[in-house]
Amino acid sequence: MYPGETVGIVGESGCGKSTAASSLIRLEEPTEGTVRFDGEDITRYDQAELKAFRRRVQMIFQDPESSFDPRMSIGEAIAEPLAVQGLTDARRRREIVADLLERVGLAAGDADRYPHELSGGQKQRVGLARALSMNPDMIIADEPVSALDVSIQSEILALMTDLQETFGLSILIISHNLAVIRQICDRVAVMYLGELVELGTASEVFTNPQHPYTRALLASIPTADPTDRGMGIELTGDVPSPSNPPTGCRFHTRCPEIIQPEDYEFEQSVWRRIMDLRQKLDQGTVDVDAIREVVVTEREPDETPDDVSATETKARLRDEFAIPHSLDDSRAESVLEAALDDLVSDNPAAARERLATEFATPCESQSPTLEDTTAGQTASCLRLENELPPTELEQTVRSD
Ligand SMILES: Nc1ncnc2c1ncn2[C@@H]1O[C@H](COP(=O)(O)OP(=O)(O)OP(=O)(O)O)[C@@H](O)[C@H]1O
């Protein structure tokens, strides 16, 4: 981050945004890596240096409620850090508090009110005033407006922009909400499972996203029109745990643009579904017996699961994964059919092995790194490293 800049970290819930933020100020000790501030590695700071650093970098949180003592007036809450820093003159503290309250759009008289008397938006203003009392160089704001009404969100974000200009602050804002990031950020970092997958100016990232995950995030922004279902990019698959991320590209288990094996021609959406089948096989969660039992419930009462033919079971398996009953590429079709035969003859290990060997993707074995792209921003995707042509999906998002 540069002085005076606003950078946003955006990503789904649980991807590690808050952990990254608290590691930046060592509220949490990172297990590896470095955090540099003004050229110094803060992970090596001793207690005194850390204390000084934490004055320069203030943090505000989603829920201002929990950061206030209900028995302390607003004025006392803002003045507290000043007193801790050794400002003993009570009158001077009161003057500073009054000035800060006015700067964040409250009245000097609000100093005597208590947290429960304030709305969520007003509390977040007080949170900002308290952070500013330390005269920081940087503010880290973790979901600062998520708990607020949409109309208030915009006001608080506008206030943050004003304060940034007035005080020359750097702001790192964390949010799962792209609209929030778009409103105030100069640069945007997109995070997936604890890693940055794209980093660029807000205009680069929002108008010409380079990573499939960013494209999917942007396509999922709801519009005002209830009949508009966006561009229909739906991320399949469960969100993996950041503590046990997938091999290769961490996004490959859900990526709608996963790279196809060279020797086959799939429709991209069908390829994704075949990868979903592979993953379920790996997890051991494809239950062929359960499928037969479902089929039987739709039949004559005296039939048993054993009466369900292999052909019917395979057809149901395809339906289950939304895989067409015949693939356009005949070689791919025969591999898939053979794997389904393995499955219905109770040999999931063979099915797994066959699909893993024939339908392998570099995305599951190679880890991409953040690289410069021709669009300007950096992104980490093997598709970009291998200069593969854009998928249909990418073209849809761009032309929208
Ligand atoms: N780099 C990482 N390596 C391993 N585990 C991680 C990493 N980052 C985060 N985690 C773990 O993932 C979980 C979610 O992290 P975190 O709360 O930071 O995500 P978040 O994006 O802020 O989610 P939310 O928006 O729901 O608060 C936590 O249990 C955290 O310990």
Side-chain angles (χ1 to χ4, degrees):
M1 288 189 60
Y2 299 106
E5 190 186 32
T6 302
V7 174
I9 299 184
V10 70
E12 286 164 298
S13 186
C15 72
K17 304 182 294 297
S18 299
T19 306
S22 49
S23 304
L24 289 183
I25 55 166
R26 276 180 61 188
L27 285 178
E28 210 158 331
E29 291 293 341
T31 47
E32 55 183 304
T34 52
V35 180
R36 291 194 169 275
F37 187 75
D38 260 358
E40 289 178 8
D41 181 358
I42 69 126
T43 54
R44 291 170 188 267
Y45 277 169
D46 62 24
Q47 282 309 314
E49 289 167 318
L50 195 57
K51 210 170 145 201
F53 163 74
R54 286 194 183 141
R55 276 202 296 275
R56 297 181 65 192
V57 181
Q58 292 287 312
M59 190 143 178
I60 60 169
F61 299 93
Q62 169 173 355
D63 180 13
E65 199 87 38
S66 57
S67 42
F68 291 115
D69 180 342
R71 292 158 307 179
M72 246 190 206
S73 72
I74 298 308
E76 286 164 343
I78 299 173
E80 191 191 24
L82 294 168
V84 172
Q85 293 307 318
L87 183 63
T88 48
D89 182 345
R91 223 174 82 193
R92 179 79 194 110
R93 282 205 306 263
R94 237 188 127 70
E95 280 169 11
I96 294 175
V97 168
D99 176 51
L100 286 169
L101 282 170
E102 282 170 5
R103 283 181 184 273
V104 297
L106 295 169
D110 288 327
D112 298 324
R113 297 170 75 192
Y114 283 82
H116 73 268
E117 299 175 65
L118 303 185
S119 67
Q122 287 171 325
K123 270 185 246 172
Q124 204 51 293
R125 288 176 192 270
V126 176
L128 281 164
R130 189 163 61 172
L132 290 173
S133 72
M134 290 290 94
N135 208 4
D137 297 311
M138 177 172 168
I139 288 185
I140 299 179
D142 189 357
E143 300 277 9
V145 296
S146 313
L148 307 177
D149 288 348
V150 175
S151 56
I152 311 292
Q153 289 190 354
S154 212
E155 285 176 18
I156 298 292
L157 294 174
L159 171 65
M160 287 173 72
T161 308
D162 275 358
L163 295 174
Q164 174 184 50
E165 280 164 16
T166 312
F167 294 97
L169 292 168
S170 302
I171 297 182
L172 179 68
I173 178 165
I174 288 169
S175 179
H176 66 281
N177 185 338
L178 284 159
V180 165
I181 298 290
R182 193 170 208 162
Q183 183 179 335
I184 71 163
C185 291
D186 302 308
R187 278 193 304 152
V188 181
V190 182
M191 190 177 228
Y192 185 76
L193 282 191
E195 286 182 346
L196 296 190
V197 296
E198 184 156 357
L199 175 65
T201 64
S203 83
E204 283 164 348
V205 174
F206 285 112
T207 57
N208 190 7
Q210 293 297 296
H211 195 282
Y213 178 63
T214 315
R215 284 197 271 276
L217 272 188
L218 286 172
S220 67
I221 298 179
T223 64
D225 177 358
T227 59
D228 178 0
R229 301 181 59 217
M231 272 156 296
I233 303 176
E234 204 183 322
L235 295 181
T236 56
D238 305 326
V239 184
S241 154
S243 54
N244 184 22
T247 55
C249 170
R250 291 182 171 196
F251 188 47
H252 89 261
T253 55
R254 298 170 75 210
C255 181
E257 299 184 57
I258 185 166
I259 298 172
Q260 303 187 4
E262 267 174 20
D263 304 337
Y264 298 101
E265 286 278 338
F266 293 99
E267 197 188 304
Q268 185 65 28
S269 61
V270 172
W271 169 235
R272 174 67 262 165
R273 288 174 201 139
I274 288 178
M275 287 304 289
D276 292 345
L277 167 64
R278 277 195 52 200
Q279 273 153 38
K280 292 274 188 255
L281 282 172
D282 287 346
Q283 293 159 1
T285 53
V286 180
D287 190 342
V288 177
D289 289 337
I291 285 177
R292 288 196 188 100
E293 278 177 30
V294 171
V295 176
V296 157
T297 57
E298 298 159 8
R299 296 268 194 86
E300 300 296 319
D302 55 343
E303 292 201 28
T304 69
D306 291 339
D307 297 322
V308 182
S309 71
T311 312
E312 276 172 295
T313 313
K314 286 189 289 182
R316 278 302 177 107
L317 272 165
R318 287 187 193 243
D319 291 345
E320 188 90 348
F321 287 90
I323 296 171
H325 283 208
S326 173
L327 302 183
D328 291 342
D329 180 325
S330 59
R331 284 189 48 240
E333 171 59 29
S334 57
V335 174
L336 177 65
E337 189 61 19
L340 293 175
D341 281 333
D342 293 333
L343 261 180
V344 295
S345 27
D346 205 21
N347 195 351
R352 235 179 99 182
E353 183 66 31
R354 188 186 299 277
L355 293 177
T357 314
E358 284 297 324
F359 297 161
T361 166
C363 302
E364 64 190 320
S365 51
Q366 292 172 31
S367 305
T369 47
L370 268 182
E371 310 268 351
D372 292 340
T373 67
T374 51
Q377 66 267 49
T378 53
S380 65
C381 175
L382 292 175
R383 208 169 254 292
L384 296 163
E385 286 177 23
N386 298 340
E387 292 178 12
L388 290 174
T391 60
E392 286 160 31
L393 175 67
E394 183 177 0
Q395 284 157 350
T396 328
V397 176
R398 278 191 187 182
S399 61
D400 188 75

